């Protein structure tokens, strides 16, 4: 007489099931908390958002910048920095500008070719600090369009008279391309880009890393 054996049925691992449920719950609450934070942030800035919707951004293309220290070239509207000084530095200037910092608290920029070992810094001067250079280290987002909230810097105030980009580190034979710097008022788009950029930002390595 032939005996048929019953097919083996693998029972789900209770540990794996608990882990998946916990993971899904964590993802859900992370998304929910992020939505609440963003909604609150937009609501808090609503008066400025309303005013900012009527203000035109200021865009400085790479073609409008010039290299004061270091070497490079202009190509397709971009400024390409392909050589730093012996000390590993380059300074790019906008020449003279004039606008009120409080009207344009958000910087949107696109800088490509940067590696984690290179620091890229925004610098500026104002009427009240004409002989003092002020700085803000920019995030590294692998060349994507990035938003930066200049309201986090108390020195971002008054009439801006000059600004530019300072580069320090090692290019590692990879040129850095500056496509544009756009200073915008507070808008929903600029705030969301800033929040997203800060979540995904990498500030580079230091000598102690």
């Amino acid at each position: 007489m032939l005996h048929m054996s019953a097919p083996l049925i693998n029972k789900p691992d209770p540990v794996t099931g608990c882990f998946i449920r916990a993971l899904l719950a964590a993802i859900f609450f992370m998304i929910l908390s992020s939505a609440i934070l963003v909604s609150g942030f937009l609501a808090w800035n609503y008066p400025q958002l309303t005013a900012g919707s009527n203000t035109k951004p200021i865009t400085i293309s790479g073609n409008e910048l010039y290299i004061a220290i270091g070497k490079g070239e202009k190509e397709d509207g971009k400024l390409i920095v392909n050589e730093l000084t012996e000390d590993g530095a380059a300074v790019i200037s906008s020449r003279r500008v004039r606008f009120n910092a409080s009207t344009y608290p958000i910087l949107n920029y696109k800088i490509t070719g940067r590696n984690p070992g290179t620091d890229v810094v925004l610098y500026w001067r104002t009427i009240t600090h004409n002989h003092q250079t002020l700085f803000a280290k920019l995030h590294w987002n692998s060349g994507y369009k990035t938003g930066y909230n200049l309201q986090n810097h108390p020195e971002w105030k008054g009439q801006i008279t000059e600004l530019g980009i300072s580069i320090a580190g090692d290019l590692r034979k990879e040129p850095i391309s500056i496509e544009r710097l756009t200073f915008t008022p507070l808008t929903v788009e600029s705030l969301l880009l800033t929040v997203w950029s800060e979540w995904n930002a990498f500030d580079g390595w230091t000598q102690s890393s």
Side-chain angles (χ1 to χ4, degrees), residues 166-181:
S166 174
I167 300 172
D170 184 0
L171 293 182
R172 301 178 185 175
K173 299 181 180 180
E174 292 291 335
I176 290 180
S177 175
I178 304 174
E179 185 171 323
R180 64 181 176 273
L181 305 173

Side-chain angles (χ1 to χ4, degrees), residues 1-5:
M1 179 179 296
L2 295 176
H3 297 279
M4 302 295 294
S5 58

Side-chain angles (χ1 to χ4, degrees), residues 57-80:
I58 296 174
T59 297
I60 302 172
S61 69
N63 198 46
E64 297 175 89
L65 300 169
Y66 80 98
I67 300 176
I69 299 175
K71 294 182 180 180
E73 58 188 352
K74 295 180 180 180
E75 182 180 311
D76 298 329
K78 304 174 184 178
L79 181 67
I80 300 174

Side-chain angles (χ1 to χ4, degrees), residues 1-207:
M1 179 179 296
L2 295 176
H3 297 279
M4 302 295 294
S5 58
L8 295 176
I9 301 176
N10 293 326
K11 295 183 179 180
D13 186 350
V15 176
T16 302
C18 290
F19 173 76
I20 293 175
R21 287 193 294 271
L23 179 62
L24 292 175
I27 294 174
F28 170 77
F29 285 112
M30 182 178 66
I31 295 174
L32 180 61
S33 61
S34 299
I36 293 173
L37 286 173
V38 171
S39 299
F41 189 54
L42 294 176
W44 176 263
N45 290 280
Y46 179 76
Q48 291 174 287
L49 292 174
T50 304
S53 61
N54 299 319
T55 304
K56 186 178 179 180
I58 296 174
T59 297
I60 302 172
S61 69
N63 198 46
E64 297 175 89
L65 300 169
Y66 80 98
I67 300 176
I69 299 175
K71 294 182 180 180
E73 58 188 352
K74 295 180 180 180
E75 182 180 311
D76 298 329
K78 304 174 184 178
L79 181 67
I80 300 174
V81 181
N82 50 36
E83 187 175 337
L84 306 182
T85 64
E86 292 182 357
D87 297 327
V91 176
I92 296 95
S93 175
S94 67
R95 303 183 192 272
R96 304 292 292 182
V97 296
R98 181 64 64 88
F99 62 87
N100 194 322
S102 62
T103 306
Y104 299 94
I106 303 295
L107 168 63
N108 295 339
Y109 59 93
K110 189 172 183 181
I111 300 175
T112 59
R114 176 183 175 187
N115 65 71
T118 305
D119 287 334
V120 176
V121 174
L122 174 76
Y123 74 85
W124 67 92
R125 293 189 178 98
T126 66
I127 289 180
T128 55
H129 295 87
N130 194 40
H131 300 292
Q132 180 183 3
T133 305
L134 307 166
F135 300 94
K137 184 178 178 181
L138 300 181
H139 302 311
W140 180 58
N141 274 338
S142 302
Y144 295 106
K145 182 180 178 182
T146 305
Y148 190 91
N149 191 349
L150 289 164
Q151 292 182 119
N152 295 331
H153 294 268
E155 298 87 0
W156 184 256
K157 61 183 177 181
Q159 288 287 324
I160 307 297
T161 58
E162 183 185 355
L163 55 83
I165 296 293
S166 174
I167 300 172
D170 184 0
L171 293 182
R172 301 178 185 175
K173 299 181 180 180
E174 292 291 335
I176 290 180
S177 175
I178 304 174
E179 185 171 323
R180 64 181 176 273
L181 305 173
T182 301
F183 297 87
T184 76
L186 284 176
T187 63
V188 173
E189 180 184 1
S190 65
L191 277 176
L192 290 178
L193 176 62
T194 299
V195 171
W196 175 257
S197 299
E198 290 179 351
W199 281 346
N200 292 276
F202 176 71
D203 288 326
W205 295 333
T206 64
Q207 292 181 347

